[in-house]
Amino acid sequence: MTILDLTSHPIAAKYAVLVDVGYLYAAAGEVLLSAKERKEYRVAADELIQALQKHAEERIHGELLRIYWYDAARDRVPTVDQRVIAQLPWVKVRLGNLNARGQQKGVDAQIRSDLEALARHHAVSDTILLAGDEDMVPAVEAAQAYGVRIHLWGVEPPYGTNQAERLVWESDTVEIISADFLRSFFSRAPAPVPVPAAPIAPSPAQVFAGRTAATAKPKAPAGQVTKLGPSRPRVEEVGEHVAQKWILTRGRDNIRDLLPGPILPTVIDTELLIEAEKELGHSLRPYPEARVWLRDGFWARVYREFEIGVGVSSK
């Protein structure tokens, strides 16, 4: 199918990009890595989103409203990656539910609802839809009835097609994103960390003992009163408590995404700090060494959970 050149429009467009992440990841994982499940690969999602945004800017000369990122999570509790994506500018994360069999529920309905609402309220003149399901057709037709142009994007299939024929027919333009475009953002997941038959892990006290010199507070200048900081054991205890709470509320699979550590994504590190400060009842921000102790406690609990020893954080 011929790709129309949208740069010839005399009036600048206002557009949104709607991405069915389940379709995008599954189709890319299949063509790039012959993968059948998401756990088989890793995605540099923030870089991928930036590339898609740039690609859209090259296709439609106008103003981007935002990118809608439709994904799913168990009990709609966002994963580490989804939390990072939600912090990106111009990106709105929409989450459906992921059931026990790994099936997404409610995602298509959210896409259809947003597509129709954007058109009905004249929020956009054009919409890029990266999806493949025939269930999108009624929403596409409804948006077009309000005067919105629908530009369907798909992922290059290994053979045949991976998009519904009717969806292709009803869209105003169609473009296939090549495997080469996507290749640098997808990589095969590392092998699971082996669990030792009889793990012998040093205690946190043993690991931390050699670090006292590195984390010791500098002496205050003469005549200046040193501000009393928080207790190290207490901060480590809070770090472990937050890790335990996250394991229970967010699930082991979610926390496993942080491995092998010990570096925490900035978004997660900030959440850890905020939760710890709530529990302690005061700020840790004036005490850089306390931030290190907090991460040490967090990783100590996470590593015990997965029986891979006690780690020391890095940031």
Side-chain angles (χ1 to χ4, degrees):
M1 181 174 292
T2 302
I3 301 172
L4 299 184
D5 181 7
L6 305 177
T7 62
S8 60
H9 290 161
I11 300 175
K14 188 168 185 178
Y15 65 96
V17 181
L18 280 61
V19 180
D20 181 345
V21 179
Y23 163 76
L24 169 60
Y25 281 12
E30 181 181 19
V31 71
L32 295 172
L33 303 167
S34 299
K36 300 300 182 184
E37 298 182 43
R38 190 184 293 196
K39 65 182 180 181
E40 297 179 48
Y41 50 85
R42 294 286 182 266
V43 185
D46 53 344
E47 297 175 11
L48 173 58
I49 290 171
Q50 292 174 20
L52 291 173
Q53 181 176 341
K54 181 179 179 182
H55 195 64
E57 291 170 352
E58 293 170 351
R59 295 298 185 271
I60 304 180
H61 287 184
E63 178 186 356
L64 171 67
L65 176 65
R66 66 181 59 89
I67 296 175
Y68 291 83
W69 193 256
Y70 300 91
D71 205 354
R74 200 170 303 282
D75 298 323
R76 289 189 169 88
V77 177
T79 66
V80 171
D81 287 343
Q82 289 163 349
R83 289 171 182 272
V84 172
I85 293 167
Q87 300 290 322
L88 298 176
W90 314 115
V91 177
K92 173 71 73 175
V93 172
R94 296 272 205 239
L95 291 180
N97 191 41
L98 192 66
N99 66 20
R101 292 186 292 177
Q103 298 170 321
Q104 295 187 356
K105 298 296 180 182
V107 174
D108 286 355
Q110 288 183 322
I111 298 175
R112 293 195 302 268
S113 177
D114 284 343
L115 181 55
E116 292 184 35
L118 289 170
R120 184 171 64 253
H121 295 292
H122 306 290
V124 295
S125 60
D126 295 76
T127 295
I128 293 172
L129 177 63
L130 205 170
D133 200 321
E134 188 170 348
D135 287 351
M136 297 295 110
V137 171
V140 166
E141 293 176 325
Q144 289 170 327
Y146 285 105
V148 173
R149 293 177 289 261
I150 304 297
H151 310 291
L152 181 67
W153 286 5
V155 175
E156 176 186 338
Y159 54 86
T161 181
N162 55 23
Q163 290 176 293
E165 190 173 40
R166 273 204 64 204
L167 183 59
V168 172
W169 289 350
E170 298 299 337
S171 300
D172 294 296
T173 70
V174 177
E175 178 174 351
I176 298 301
I177 304 297
S178 71
D180 287 340
F181 178 93
L182 299 167
R183 195 176 308 280
S184 63
F185 309 112
F186 287 77
S187 59
R188 195 167 296 281
V193 178
V195 177
I200 303 175
S203 68
Q206 290 172 320
V207 174
F208 300 145
R211 304 185 66 231
T212 53
T215 59
K217 295 181 185 178
K219 293 182 179 179
Q224 181 177 331
V225 178
T226 302
K227 188 175 181 180
L228 184 63
S231 160
R232 178 174 184 168
R234 174 59 176 151
V235 173
E236 291 171 357
E237 178 186 0
V238 169
E240 293 201 36
H241 183 263
V242 173
Q244 173 67 16
K245 183 167 70 172
W246 286 4
I247 290 168
L248 293 174
T249 59
R250 302 182 181 183
R252 294 180 84 253
D253 289 343
N254 192 330
I255 301 304
R256 187 185 284 111
D257 288 343
L258 296 171
L259 296 174
I263 297 175
L264 284 171
T266 302
V267 172
I268 306 303
D269 191 59
T270 301
E271 289 185 12
L272 171 61
L273 175 64
I274 292 171
E275 292 238 18
E277 288 177 336
K278 287 180 181 177
E279 185 159 331
L280 288 166
H282 58 79
S283 175
L284 292 178
R285 300 171 202 234
Y287 311 103
E289 70 278 10
R291 298 285 300 271
V292 175
W293 302 338
L294 179 63
R295 298 181 194 116
D296 287 343
F298 178 87
W299 282 115
R301 178 65 188 89
V302 171
Y303 284 155
R304 284 204 310 276
E305 177 70 20
F306 295 98
E307 299 183 303
I308 56 176
V310 175
V312 178
S313 69
S314 175
K315 174 76 173 148

